[in-house]
Amino acid sequence: KTEEEKQALADELRRKTEAEQAAAKQRLDMEAKLSALQEKLLVGGQMLDLAQKQEADLKRAQLELQRQEEERKRLEQEHLREMEEANLMIEEQYATMQEEVE
């Protein structure tokens, strides 16, 4: 083969090698981007799970506060009723004692 043919084959081989290297680099870049996207998806999924857990915790806390408030009101009403009954008993005793004095 002539020197020109050898040079053409060498140039062709060099171009193919460069193209393969460029394709390999592009593949690695794409794999890195895919990996980064997968990581973002994983982190996003974990954040969503955490947000859902926090929302459920908040709902439970709100329900507990509501239950405690209802219990407080019930106890307050019970206490008021007992006080009213005690006052009535005192008034009845006072009335009875007043009658006995008269």
Side-chain angles (χ1 to χ4, degrees):
K1 294 188 177 180
T2 67
E3 196 58 39
E4 283 182 16
E5 290 176 328
K6 287 181 183 179
Q7 187 60 43
L9 287 173
D11 289 346
E12 180 69 22
L13 181 60
R14 186 177 36 78
R15 279 194 297 274
K16 284 183 179 179
T17 302
E18 289 173 356
E20 288 173 0
Q21 288 174 346
K25 183 183 181 318
Q26 189 176 25
R27 189 186 86 243
L28 288 174
D29 289 346
M30 293 299 280
E31 287 174 354
K33 286 180 183 178
L34 178 61
S35 180
L37 285 173
Q38 288 172 333
E39 181 64 25
K40 285 181 183 178
L41 222 102
L42 179 64
V43 169
Q46 290 170 345
M47 289 176 64
L48 181 61
D49 290 346
L50 179 61
Q52 289 173 338
K53 182 188 178 306
Q54 288 175 336
E55 184 178 354
D57 290 346
L58 178 61
K59 181 128 178 107
R60 276 193 295 278
Q62 288 172 332
L63 289 173
E64 179 61 20
L65 282 174
Q66 182 180 352
R67 186 196 65 74
Q68 289 176 357
E69 180 65 15
E70 289 169 357
E71 180 69 9
R72 186 193 63 77
K73 287 179 181 178
R74 185 190 67 75
L75 290 172
E76 188 177 287
Q77 289 174 349
E78 186 177 315
H79 179 70
L80 286 174
R81 189 178 68 250
E82 289 172 356
M83 293 294 288
E84 288 172 0
E85 289 174 5
N87 283 341
L88 283 175
M89 287 178 61
I90 291 171
E91 287 175 11
E92 288 174 5
Q93 287 175 351
Y94 180 76
T96 303
M97 288 169 48
Q98 194 76 4
E99 288 173 7
E100 290 175 4
V101 170
E102 293 174 356

